[in-house]
Amino acid sequence: MSVIRPSVIRAEGINKIFREPVDFHVLKDISFDIKMGEFVSIMGKSGCGKSTLLYILSTMDTDYTGDLFLNDKMITKDDPTQLARIRNEQIGFVFQFHYLLPEFSVLENVMLPARKLAKKSFEEIEFDAYQVLEMLDIKHIARKKSYRISGGEKQRVAIARALINQPSIIMGDEPTGNLDSKNSDNVLSIFKQLAAEKGLTLLVVTHDLDFAKRTDRIITMGDGRVIDHGFNT
Amino acid sequence: MDFKVLFAIAKTHIFTRIKQSAIAALGVTFGIATFIILVSFMTGLNGLLDGMILNRTPHIHLYNEIVPSKKQPVNLWEKTSKQWSVVSSVKPKQKQSRIYNALPLIEALKKSDDVYGLTAQVSTQAFYTAGTIELNGLINGVNIMQEAKLFNIDDYIIEGEIKDLHQNDNGIIVGAGVAKKMSAKIGDRIQLVSARGGQLSLKIVAIYQSGLAEIDNVQSYANIKTVQQLMGESSNYITDINIKLHDMDKAFPLAKAYERIYNVTAVDIHTANAQFDTGTTIRNIITYAVSITLLIVAGFGIYNILNMFIYEKMNDIAILKATGFSGNDVMFIFISQALILGLVGGVLGLLFGYSASVLIDNIPFVTEALPTVKTYPVNFDSSYYLIGMGFAIVSTFFAGYLPAKKAKSIDPVEILRGQ
Ligand SMILES: Nc1ncnc2c1ncn2[C@@H]1O[C@H](COP(=O)(O)OP(=O)(O)OP(=O)(O)O)[C@@H](O)[C@H]1O
Ligand SMILES: [Mg+2]
């Protein structure tokens, strides 16, 4: 690669120890750098600390040592309100279980992070939300309550919600783990399309090797460490 | 502003749990309505009793008490060590019941900054005679318009009008008991005979009922000149001065001062009605104690609902936090939920309380003591409605605060991992 792309998220020497019930050193000296527009997957045995790492990267877990940089700005020492703002503006998160607010409509769920950000008017946000829903091919269910739609649809709504504020990076913790292969393929192609067309940066934990192989590179973890950065494939 | 979206979330939460929310709000409604009804009725009652006692009682009553002189004449004579001085039977003169120098005293009092107004009276024993009936009585010579203005005497007139007395020097307002005993009605004439033999024939222009039989059976009012004439006294003969102050609380010290300066007997309203203040205070305490208890119960209702709610909504809270809502945002959502319930419940409570008060206000209530009162007394003072609303908001705020604080401290990672 000849072009030097800017870093989106960079970890430097991240360590995490669970104190309960006994001391357990779950993440050991994790360092890596993810550049703008990269689509990276993380693989590793169950229990090796992938989710734990993702919670730290997404700023929800602040109980760790080491430094975390977002767009080359250190965010490790930011206070909870600043971190909430960062999550809102810069990070889109897609969970394994399609976490939506069940009593709100699909459209409202997608709009919530943007309304919190409050950079645009309600009408603009609504327009954006419809566009994202259209792109993900779920515009027709916009007005449905989110507990009345299928699992695959929920996952796409969650992706739409992650996209609404045009974040720097989208993180996913086994976002296809709960889907059949058809829906799983669907989500993967959406991600690939976003990376290719919009230059979006993606970091996705997965157990699905087929899925991982179709990403730019695979970071492999084992026993709390990064054992392969996936540059030589 | 992102408050709008927080409110929208709170609103959705309330509407999806409409039954529980309604019950919680109704708890507040019940508390506030009870408060309004109780406080309106109790203070109405206080006002009524104020009317019975405070309105017609002078803040300070000046008169000249007829007591045996403290200095018996024999003691004024020579002090001797070898003799006994035992004569102690010199009785006060009849004349002493007047206030000395009454007219200059009245002028001086009228100029005082503390005095709101005063009335002068001449009262004397007299007999009422009509045909062969002869009744013992007490006649007060008054300026009736002044009495009405300062001491609301017109509230106790059950027949006739006070201005008829004002315009007629030969008029008299008799007590209801007197009128009944003499089977006299308005327009009839009765004879008055003073203790010293003076006689007058007066026309009844109105009938007065205080509610206290011992007064209504003897008392009557005539113009001050008329009574002076009956007694054969000049216009500076005044037996009583009734003073209304700007500030009732000064009654006691001023009464003491007047006694010293003007050499009269002065009785202040607190000394005359000591039991009265206590009653008012106790009624107020009961009102507030009952209302606050009800509101605390209502507050627990809201606290419970929100607590339950937060347990049910753990996932939602985790999602909100994961998508960038801060702890304070989450807290704001739940507190505003509590406040919305409190506000709606409170406003309904005020409406219910007001309606019930109007209802009570129209229930007939007939009492001998207050002839002008026809229905139960209710006080519609708007400040109680403000206090009620304040109560509702403060109690629901606290009820919402603790669960909201819990929601604020929920760790989203723990919830997400739990799945
Ligand atoms: N709150 C906690 N306290 C103590 N230990 C924990 C806690 N959470 C997770 N662990 C442990 O940390 C290790 C890493 O957990 P983590 O969820 O990150 O694994 P993972 O790589 O995501 O596994 P999976 O692929 O099954 O999702 C596990 O051994 C787990 O038992
Ligand atoms: Mg995991």
Side-chain angles (χ1 to χ4, degrees):
Chain A
M1 268 183 272
S2 51
V3 199
I4 299 172
R5 288 184 291 180
S7 156
V8 173
I9 197 152
R10 186 166 81 251
E12 286 182 5
I14 296 222
N15 279 278
K16 173 156 180 96
I17 299 171
F18 283 120
R19 301 286 172 197
E20 296 279 328
V22 286
D23 274 17
F24 173 46
H25 199 159
V26 55
L27 297 179
K28 299 163 189 160
D29 279 322
I30 303 271
S31 300
F32 58 78
D33 188 0
I34 291 167
K35 304 284 191 192
M36 189 188 252
E38 269 194 300
F39 184 1
V40 179
S41 53
I42 301 180
M43 294 196 76
K45 277 201 299 239
S46 181
C48 69
K50 304 180 296 292
S51 296
T52 307
L53 176 64
L54 219 52
Y55 293 135
I56 290 174
L57 296 178
S58 68
T59 77
M60 282 189 273
D61 186 355
T62 52
D63 181 21
Y64 62 92
T65 58
D67 296 331
L68 191 60
F69 296 83
L70 186 70
N71 297 326
D72 281 322
K73 187 184 158 288
M74 180 153 97
I75 56 171
T76 303
K77 299 215 163 53
D78 283 6
D79 67 42
T81 318
Q82 282 172 306
L83 291 178
R85 170 97 190 171
I86 288 172
R87 282 199 295 281
N88 186 224
E89 199 169 11
Q90 316 263 26
I91 300 174
F93 207 102
V94 184
F95 310 94
Q96 174 178 3
F97 297 91
H98 25 68
Y99 273 116
L100 300 175
L101 302 183
E103 288 129 1
F104 292 73
S105 73
V106 165
L107 186 67
E108 285 168 328
N109 265 287
V110 175
M111 287 172 70
L112 268 182
R115 295 190 63 193
K116 163 64 193 164
L117 187 62
K119 274 196 173 161
K120 294 180 177 174
S121 75
F122 186 90
E123 288 71 26
E124 285 172 299
I125 293 171
E126 194 172 32
F127 180 79
D128 287 357
Y130 269 119
Q131 273 203 320
V132 182
L133 288 173
E134 170 130 61
M135 184 176 80
L136 297 174
D137 206 20
I138 43 174
K139 196 178 171 185
H140 57 286
I141 54 167
R143 295 282 169 190
K144 279 195 175 178
K145 291 277 182 230
S146 59
Y147 64 86
R148 288 181 197 262
I149 59 177
S150 80
E153 286 168 338
K154 280 179 188 170
Q155 201 61 303
R156 276 180 282 169
V157 175
I159 295 169
R161 182 180 62 194
L163 288 171
I164 188 75
N165 282 342
Q166 295 174 307
S168 305
I169 184 166
I170 288 196
M171 300 182 192
D173 191 355
E174 301 180 42
T176 57
N178 244 3
L179 300 178
D180 60 24
S181 59
K182 183 171 159 281
N183 273 310
S184 173
D185 270 1
N186 198 333
V187 169
L188 180 68
S189 43
I190 291 167
F191 280 163
K192 285 209 71 119
Q193 188 191 345
L194 289 170
E197 290 175 10
K198 311 229 161 184
L200 203 69
T201 314
L202 291 133
L203 178 61
V204 177
V205 169
T206 182
H207 283 290
D208 182 346
L209 189 61
D210 289 338
F211 184 108
K213 274 181 177 162
R214 292 165 66 184
T215 62
D216 296 346
R217 65 177 164 114
I218 303 171
I219 293 178
T220 312
M221 283 179 68
D223 194 23
R225 292 177 197 280
V226 174
I227 44 181
D228 183 8
H229 285 274
F231 283 124
N232 12 329
T233 33
Chain B
M1 288 310 277
D2 53 9
F3 290 119
K4 252 202 206 152
V5 63
L6 301 181
F7 269 127
I9 295 171
K11 227 174 62 194
T12 308
H13 280 174
I14 287 176
F15 280 115
T16 50
R17 285 270 170 286
I18 192 71
K19 257 189 202 162
Q20 282 107 313
S21 303
I23 288 168
L26 280 179
V28 179
T29 302
F30 188 65
I32 298 294
T34 313
F35 168 73
I36 291 295
I37 294 169
L38 264 177
V39 85
S40 306
F41 188 55
M42 286 291 197
T43 54
L45 206 62
N46 280 347
L48 184 84
L49 295 170
D50 280 1
M52 281 178 74
I53 297 172
L54 292 184
N55 282 354
R56 60 176 159 181
T57 310
H59 294 164
I60 300 178
H61 177 202
L62 301 182
Y63 62 103
N64 207 351
E65 196 163 17
I66 303 175
V67 289
S69 177
K70 281 186 190 131
K71 294 178 187 160
Q72 288 287 329
V74 69
N75 291 336
L76 295 175
W77 199 47
E78 245 174 87
K79 288 266 183 237
T80 51
S81 49
K82 290 179 186 163
Q83 290 168 312
W84 295 92
S85 9
V86 288
V87 183
S88 64
S89 58
V90 176
K91 297 289 187 290
K93 280 197 294 183
Q94 184 70 39
K95 278 270 182 197
Q96 269 179 332
S97 65
R98 70 182 290 186
I99 296 174
Y100 300 111
N101 285 329
L103 295 182
L105 172 56
I106 288 171
E107 284 313 308
L109 286 172
K110 271 184 180 165
K111 284 197 190 104
S112 159
D113 287 337
D114 293 318
V115 175
Y116 172 74
L118 57 80
T119 63
Q121 295 192 353
V122 181
S123 67
T124 184
Q125 306 277 339
F127 294 104
Y128 305 111
T129 62
T132 54
I133 312 166
E134 199 166 87
L135 272 183
N136 207 344
L138 186 72
I139 174 111
N140 283 328
V142 296
N143 177 336
I144 195 73
M145 294 325 261
Q146 290 286 330
E147 294 291 337
K149 182 172 159 248
L150 294 177
F151 303 114
N152 304 303
I153 195 172
D154 43 337
D155 282 352
Y156 306 97
I157 302 294
I158 53 172
E159 269 181 72
E161 305 240 11
I162 56 164
K163 70 171 193 297
D164 292 338
L165 178 67
H166 185 62
Q167 290 158 355
N168 184 355
D169 276 347
N170 289 319
I172 185 167
I173 299 175
V174 294
V178 178
K180 196 174 167 205
K181 283 185 190 174
M182 307 190 67
S183 20
K185 50 190 191 305
I186 290 184
D188 290 355
R189 286 193 162 269
I190 60 170
Q191 302 286 325
L192 277 186
V193 183
S194 82
R196 268 179 276 157
Q199 257 194 353
L200 274 180
S201 166
L202 300 176
K203 192 172 117 188
I204 298 176
V205 294
I207 291 172
Y208 160 95
Q209 181 178 319
S210 70
L212 301 172
E214 62 216 78
I215 291 178
D216 296 339
N217 284 345
V218 295
Q219 189 139 307
S220 62
Y221 291 93
N223 281 312
I224 197 160
K225 256 191 280 171
T226 315
V227 179
Q228 283 163 344
Q229 191 189 336
L230 176 71
M231 297 175 76
E233 296 286 355
S234 64
S235 65
N236 64 3
Y237 185 92
I238 300 291
T239 60
D240 301 82
I241 298 173
N242 289 329
I243 302 172
K244 189 163 192 164
L245 301 173
H246 286 292
D247 178 6
M248 194 175 92
D249 295 333
K250 285 189 184 160
F252 181 72
L254 281 174
K256 286 280 163 252
Y258 292 159
E259 254 182 3
R260 209 176 52 243
I261 301 167
Y262 300 122
N263 189 26
V264 288
T265 309
V267 177
D268 69 281
I269 188 166
H270 300 295
T271 311
N273 299 287
Q275 80 288 359
F276 172 75
D277 287 345
T278 328
T280 304
T281 315
I282 288 176
R283 275 189 296 276
N284 282 341
I285 291 175
I286 291 175
T287 305
Y288 281 89
V290 171
S291 312
I292 288 174
T293 311
L294 285 170
L295 283 173
I296 289 175
V297 173
F300 271 111
I302 290 190
Y303 172 84
N304 261 337
I305 299 259
L306 281 184
N307 245 346
M308 218 174 67
F309 207 72
I310 284 165
Y311 276 114
E312 283 176 18
K313 292 278 164 235
M314 288 284 197
N315 280 351
D316 288 28
I317 294 168
I319 296 167
L320 287 173
K321 288 189 169 175
T323 54
F325 287 81
S326 68
N328 285 334
D329 292 338
V330 171
M331 194 163 167
F332 185 94
I333 290 172
F334 285 96
I335 285 188
S336 48
Q337 238 171 287
L339 285 181
I340 290 172
L341 294 184
L343 225 68
V344 172
V347 168
L348 279 180
L350 294 187
L351 289 178
F352 273 126
Y354 178 76
S355 318
S357 301
V358 169
L359 217 67
I360 293 174
D361 195 32
N362 284 308
I363 297 175
F365 171 65
V366 179
T367 167
E368 288 265 287
L370 287 164
T372 49
V373 174
K374 299 278 181 270
T375 56
Y376 276 98
V378 175
N379 179 0
F380 286 101
D381 188 343
S382 57
S383 63
Y384 294 117
Y385 291 74
L386 288 179
I387 294 175
M389 210 54 222
F391 267 169
I393 289 170
V394 168
S395 62
T396 49
F397 176 82
F398 281 111
Y401 183 78
L402 294 176
K405 196 132 186 242
K406 194 191 284 170
K408 176 185 177 174
S409 64
I410 282 175
D411 178 4
V413 174
E414 243 169 70
I415 310 294
L416 297 177
R417 224 197 273 282
Q419 287 284 324

